[in-house]
Structures are given as structure tokens and as C-alpha cells.
Amino acid sequence: MASLRGPLIWGLLTLAVAVPIALAAGSPLLAWRDGVYIASGFAGILALALLLLQPLLAGGALPGLPARWSRRLHGWVGAALVALIVLHVVGLWVTSPPDVVDALLFVSPTPFSAWGVVAMWALFASAALAAWRFRFRLAPRTWRLAHSLLAVVIVIGSVVHAWLVDGTMEPFSKAAFCLFVLLATAWVIRDRRAWALLRRNRRPADRSA
């Protein structure tokens, strides 16, 4: 049974990612969209799919993948996430600049826009923190805590954004996939005990008070 565990996990992960994308690709709504809008939408869908991989890579939870390669892939997937979100926003800008401006200024009438913008800025902050971590000489504890907090904002913002968008993604597969992303993120953060770091950082302040 142990020998089947790895292929089973990889198979379930592939299905979890492939099914929502395949159903979105077959959506009848695509017939009414232009190429730029479709590309922008699928950039967002692919970014959501990568959010399932990110915590699993960070936690070394993918079977058969050495820890060193898991961490390296985590960084590459993070860079891909930034690129996909930039493509997503640029595509929306090309199709409707006023909507993008309203979203960035948090005055859009659509509730999902604010969640997406918050997740986007958290992603950019996380990427910048990772790129300049050693230049800023961040302590490992501070780095893990900041990265974990930003990851929570990214995941929650992205999941709520995706759920509220009434678009090409099929509702039931989208709901299941969003749940998988939340569970994977929660499990890895709990396993890495990021909140324990937060309690440790508070203790000196509590004593001094």
C-alpha cells in the first residue's frame, strides 16, 4: 500500500487541477468573449491552480520530491504566480481600463474586485520579501512568520475572489477546488507551526509591559 501512496496523491492532485480547468475550457460563456479576455481569465484560473501546489511544495508534502527541489519549485511557482496575475490584470486592463482602475482604487461595485486586489498586493509583497530576504537580513523566524501571514491573505483573498466571480469556472468544481486550496494551506501552516512563532514574538513585549 505504501508504494501506491505516491502515485495516488499525484493522481488526485492532477484531477483536482485538471477537472476545473477542463470544465472552464468547455464553458459556453467563452463564445461571447474575445481572445484577450479569455486569456486573462485563464491566467487567473491557472494562478488559482498553482495556489494548491504552493503550500504543498512549501511543506514538502509531495511524495517523491526531495526537500531541496520542493523548496526550489516553491520559488519558481511563486514567480509564475506573479507573472500570471500580471497577465490577468493587464488583460482586464486591455478589455476595460475603467473597471481595473475602479478595482485598484477599491471603488468597484463588484465585491469580488476588492478581494482580488488585496490578494494581488499580498502576492507582490510576498514575492518582494522573498527576493530581498537576504538583503534585508531577515531572521528565519521573522521570515517564516511574515511569509506565512502573507500566504494566508493571498489564499483567502484569491479563494473569495474566485468564488464570487460568476464566470467560466463550473460552480461545483470551483467550490471543491477552493476548498482544497484552503485545506492544503491550513494544513501546511499548522504543520509548520507559524502561529507558534507569533506567540514567541509576543512574549518579550508581554514581559516588558
Side-chain angles (χ1 to χ4, degrees):
M1 292 296 293
S3 61
L4 295 176
R5 180 174 176 270
L8 180 61
I9 291 176
W10 280 106
L12 291 175
L13 186 61
T14 301
L15 281 175
V17 172
V19 169
I21 294 176
L23 291 175
S27 172
L29 295 176
L30 295 178
W32 311 104
R33 306 295 189 184
D34 59 29
V36 175
Y37 191 93
I38 292 172
S40 172
F42 272 89
I45 294 172
L46 290 175
L48 183 65
L50 291 184
L51 278 184
L52 178 60
L53 288 178
Q54 275 298 71
L56 299 176
L57 290 170
L62 295 176
L65 194 63
R68 183 182 65 170
W69 275 102
S70 187
R71 289 191 296 270
R72 185 171 296 181
L73 283 172
H74 180 74
W76 291 345
V77 171
L81 268 170
V82 172
L84 285 170
I85 293 305
V86 169
L87 289 173
H88 181 60
V89 174
V90 169
L92 293 175
W93 171 271
V94 170
T95 57
S96 182
D99 288 340
V100 175
V101 172
D102 287 348
L104 293 174
L105 295 177
F106 294 99
V107 295
S108 174
T110 53
F112 60 78
S113 299
W115 290 96
V117 171
V118 169
M120 179 189 72
W121 288 121
L123 175 64
F124 291 166
S126 180
L129 196 65
W132 296 327
R133 171 188 175 188
F134 296 107
R135 180 177 297 181
F136 292 156
R137 298 180 181 178
L138 293 176
R141 182 184 299 177
T142 303
W143 155 250
R144 279 184 57 191
L145 180 59
H147 197 57
S148 297
L149 288 172
L150 286 170
V152 170
V153 175
I154 293 166
V155 168
I156 293 177
S158 299
V159 164
V160 176
H161 173 73
W163 175 248
L164 292 177
V165 173
D166 187 13
T168 57
M169 292 191 76
E170 190 275 328
F172 292 106
S173 62
K174 179 172 68 172
F177 189 79
C178 287
L179 180 61
F180 294 154
V181 173
L182 290 172
L183 290 176
T185 304
W187 177 77
V188 170
I189 287 179
R190 178 181 176 276
D191 186 62
R192 292 171 66 86
R193 305 187 181 191
W195 307 124
L197 297 176
L198 183 60
R199 288 196 296 270
R200 287 180 202 168
N201 286 343
R202 285 179 174 174
R203 282 175 187 170
D206 293 340
R207 290 173 183 171
S208 62

